[in-house]
Amino acid sequence: MTDIFVVVGGDAAGMSAASKAKRDDPDLEVVVFEKGEWVSYGACGLPYYVKGEIQSLEALVSVTPEEFREERDIDLRTGHEVVAIDPDERTVTAESESGSVVQSYDHLLLATGAEAVVPPIDGIDREGVYTLGSMSDGKELREYVARAREGESLQQPDRGPACRYLEDCTGPVGIVGGGYIGLEMAEALAANGFEVHLFQRGDRVLTGFSEATSEAVADHLREQDVVVYLESEVVALEGGEADEDEEKDSAVETVVAADERVDVEMVLVGTGVRPRTDLAEAAGIDLGPTGAVATDAYRETNVPDVYAAGDCAEATHTVTGDPVYVPLALTANRHGRAIGQTVAGQLTEGGAVAGTAAVKAFEVEAARTGILDHDDAREAGFEPVTETIDAKSRAGYYPKGGTVTVTLTADRDSGRVLGASLVSEYGEGAVHRSHAIVGALEAEATVFELENYDLAYAPPFNTTWDPVLVAAKVLA
Ligand code: FAD
C-alpha cells in the first residue's frame, strides 16, 4: 500500500519536504495542509515589498499552489488549519470553510513556523500598531504606507529629518525593537519619507552581533536621520479613548518609553518571534530547552514518524552541539528537504546550524556566525578571546572601497574559531566574507588554520590579505 506523508504548514520547511519526498518517491501520497492562502512564499522579502522595491506579493512566491498540484502532484489543501493530531490513531484533523476532515498519515511533518512576539505593552492593541510576520501583515503595512503617502492617514504632518528621499515627507513612526526586522523596516519606512524613531530595550541594536557591529550600524542609522533610543524600553502606546461600541482601541498617538514620549502615527513592533508549538504540545510532542519542538539529528520528534522542522523546531549548534533556536530560512529549507529525503527512504540528517545571519540597513551590511557571547562560550566549555580589526575592503589604490570591521572570537587554549561578526558599507563584502568563517566553524578550524586559508584576491574585491585573514592573524 502507498505510504501517506502529511505536512502541516505550506512554506519553506513544509514545501521543501513535500517536494523532495514526492520527487524521490513518486509513489508516495503527499498531503499538505496550509491554513492560509499563500504557500512557498519568501517572508524575507516583505520589508522590500513594504519599501516599494518589490511590486507585488506574488513576486515573493517561488512555486504557486497550482504548480504544486499540477506539476508536482502534491495534494495541497490551502485554507485548511490542522487543529489536532492523534499519534495513536496516526491521524490529523483539519478544519476549513467547508468543514472538518480527518486525514491518516504514515509520516507527519510539523512545519508550523513561528509568530511575531507581541509584548505585553499597554496599548499594544491600538489601531496603527503593526507586526511583520506574514504576507497579510506585509499587505497591511504596504497599504498603510500608500495611504500615508497620499496624505490620508496623517495625524501630525511633519517634515522630519528623515525626509531625504522624498520632497513630501510623511509623519513620524515608531519602531519597537532593534533586531533585523526593525532595521529593515527602518530603511523601508524612511525610504517612503517617514521620520523614524527606533526604540531598543538593550544598550545596542543587533544584540546577537558584536558590539563593534552594533555600534557601526547604530551610527549609520543616525547618519540616515533615524532617531535611535537605546536602553529605552517602550512601556505604553498611548492614544485617544475608544468609543464604547468600538472593538479596537483608538489609534496610537504616542510611544511612551522609559525617558521619552514621542508622538507617532504608527508603530511597527519587531520584538522577535516565538515557535508555534500548540499543536505539537497538545499531541504530547516534547519541546526542548529553547521552547521549540525538540528533535533528533533526523529532525524526528519523540513521537515516532512525526518530524518537525523550520521556525517551530530546534536545531543543533555547529560549535556546541547543543539544541538551539535559529528561526531562519535556510535551516527551514534544509531540514525540510532532509526530512523529505528520509521519508522517501533515504535516512538523511538535517545538519547543524551556526546561527549565521545577515542584515542590510540603508547603506550598511552586517553578518554574524557562531558564538560571540563570552558567557555562552564559557558555558560550552571554551575560554573565549575576541579581537576586532578594521581593514580596507579593496586595494588602497582602487577607486572604490571602504572599511570592513571584523570581530573574531576563538578559544584561547586551542585557537579554535568560535564565531565572528562583520560590518561594512553595503557592497563592501562583510556578508560574503562571513562565509569563509562559516567554513572554519564547520571544519572546527583554528585561527592558525584560518589565517592560512587561500582566499581569492584581486584589487576590486579586497587587499592581498583579506580582512578575514588579518583578523585571524591578530588572534593567532
Ligand atoms: P513559516 O514560513 O512561518 O511557515 C509556516 C506555515 O505554517 C505558515 O504558512 C502558516 O500559515 C502555516 N501553519 C501554521 N500552523 C498551521 C496549522 N495548524 N495548520 C495549517 N497550517 C499552519 N530568514 C532569513 O534567513 N533571512 C532573512 O533575511 C529573513 N528575513 C525575514 C523577514 C521577515 C519580515 C520575516 C517575517 C521572516 C524573515 N526570515 C528571514 C525568517 C524566514 O522567513 C523563516 O525562517 C522561514 O519562513 C521559516 O519557514 P517555516 O516553513 O519554518 O515557517
Side-chain angles (χ1 to χ4, degrees):
M1 230 174 78
T2 314
D3 266 11
I4 304 173
F5 178 31
V6 171
V7 175
V8 187
D11 194 23
M15 296 322 295
S16 297
S19 299
K20 181 65 178 159
K22 190 71 191 176
R23 195 178 316 131
D24 285 8
D25 181 0
D27 291 336
L28 197 67
E29 190 180 331
V30 180
V31 183
V32 179
F33 292 106
E34 164 55 51
K35 68 179 177 179
E37 292 309 314
W38 297 94
V39 296
S40 194
Y41 48 87
C44 315
L46 286 173
Y48 310 100
Y49 170 71
V50 175
K51 184 179 177 185
E53 270 177 350
I54 293 160
Q55 294 312 322
S56 71
L57 281 176
E58 285 74 16
L60 301 179
V61 173
S62 43
V63 184
T64 65
E66 294 69 36
E67 286 166 336
F68 279 118
R69 290 179 188 124
E70 287 156 26
E71 292 168 22
R72 302 197 182 183
D73 194 20
I74 290 170
D75 181 358
L76 169 61
R77 305 192 203 166
T78 49
H80 281 70
E81 178 170 7
V82 172
V83 293
I85 302 166
D86 186 335
D88 298 327
E89 295 296 321
R90 291 185 166 236
T91 60
V92 301
T93 304
E95 285 177 357
S96 70
E97 275 181 1
S98 48
S100 182
V101 286
V102 176
Q103 169 68 52
S104 64
Y105 66 80
D106 297 288
H107 320 271
L108 175 66
L109 167 60
L110 298 179
T112 49
E115 60 203 356
V117 168
V118 180
I121 297 171
D122 194 23
I124 196 88
D125 291 329
R126 288 188 184 284
E127 239 175 74
V129 180
Y130 296 83
T131 54
L132 182 57
S134 65
M135 295 288 264
S136 53
D137 291 344
K139 185 166 179 283
E140 278 181 36
L141 273 161
R142 169 96 167 217
E143 285 167 359
Y144 170 80
V145 168
R147 279 200 311 277
R149 288 191 59 165
E150 283 165 14
E152 284 176 20
S153 75
L154 298 186
Q155 297 160 16
Q156 300 128 347
D158 176 77
R159 289 179 180 271
C163 298
R164 61 174 54 202
Y165 299 96
L166 295 174
E167 283 184 12
D168 296 319
C169 192
T170 47
V173 295
I175 294 182
V176 184
Y180 74 89
I181 291 184
L183 299 192
E184 289 170 356
M185 284 304 296
E187 175 187 324
L189 292 167
N192 279 283
F194 291 92
E195 177 188 314
V196 179
H197 295 256
L198 187 139
F199 298 84
Q200 168 73 332
R201 184 168 57 177
D203 60 0
R204 60 194 180 95
V205 296
L206 291 178
T207 46
F209 293 60
S210 70
E211 284 177 26
T213 300
S214 300
E215 273 169 33
V217 171
D219 287 348
H220 182 69
L221 291 175
R222 291 187 182 108
E223 280 164 24
Q224 300 293 322
D225 299 324
V226 173
V227 189
V228 179
Y229 306 88
L230 299 178
E231 295 188 88
S232 194
E233 180 168 6
V234 173
V235 291
L237 300 174
E238 288 182 357
E241 291 302 314
D243 291 343
E244 272 178 19
D245 54 344
E246 281 184 22
E247 278 179 20
K248 245 183 161 216
D249 289 345
S250 64
V252 62
E253 288 173 3
T254 308
V255 176
V256 183
D259 301 315
E260 312 287 341
R261 290 181 64 85
V262 179
D263 288 344
V264 294
E265 61 177 44
M266 75 84 100
V267 168
L268 184 274
V269 178
T271 49
V273 297
R274 82 161 58 86
R276 272 197 204 100
T277 56
D278 295 1
L279 196 58
E281 284 179 89
I285 294 167
D286 288 345
L287 305 188
T290 70
V293 178
T295 61
D296 65 11
Y298 302 99
R299 307 299 141 207
E300 192 172 13
T301 69
N302 62 307
V303 175
D305 298 314
V306 179
Y307 300 83
D311 284 8
C312 67
E314 289 184 336
T316 310
H317 200 283
T318 305
V319 177
T320 66
D322 291 334
V324 66
Y325 182 57
V326 181
L328 290 175
L330 179 60
T331 314
N333 281 277
R334 178 186 289 138
H335 286 182
R337 191 172 192 278
I339 291 163
Q341 200 158 316
T342 296
V343 165
Q346 191 185 338
L347 200 59
T348 307
E349 288 196 12
V353 303
T356 311
V359 63
K360 170 185 178 289
F362 298 89
E363 294 306 315
V364 71
E365 62 175 64
R368 59 94 56 223
T369 188
I371 302 202
L372 290 158
D373 184 275
H374 281 202
D375 291 339
D376 290 349
R378 285 196 194 96
E379 206 171 298
F382 300 106
E383 189 45 55
V385 50
T386 293
E387 288 286 352
T388 296
I389 61 108
D390 286 335
K392 284 192 165 62
S393 60
R394 308 183 194 215
Y397 52 79
Y398 193 76
K400 294 182 199 159
T403 301
V404 185
T405 302
V406 183
T407 303
L408 191 62
T409 299
D411 179 46
R412 189 186 297 277
D413 297 335
S414 64
R416 181 173 164 188
V417 178
L418 299 179
S421 179
L422 301 91
V423 61
S424 70
E425 289 156 42
Y426 179 50
E428 295 305 320
V431 171
H432 288 312
R433 282 184 171 89
S434 71
H435 299 157
I437 297 165
V438 177
L441 296 178
E442 294 285 344
E444 298 188 15
T446 64
V447 285
F448 316 107
E449 289 163 329
L450 177 59
E451 104 174 269
N452 283 315
Y453 274 22
D454 182 27
L455 301 188
Y457 159 66
F461 304 108
N462 50 3
T463 49
T464 322
W465 291 90
D466 187 89
V468 167
L469 302 180
V470 175
K473 204 186 259 294
V474 168
L475 263 185

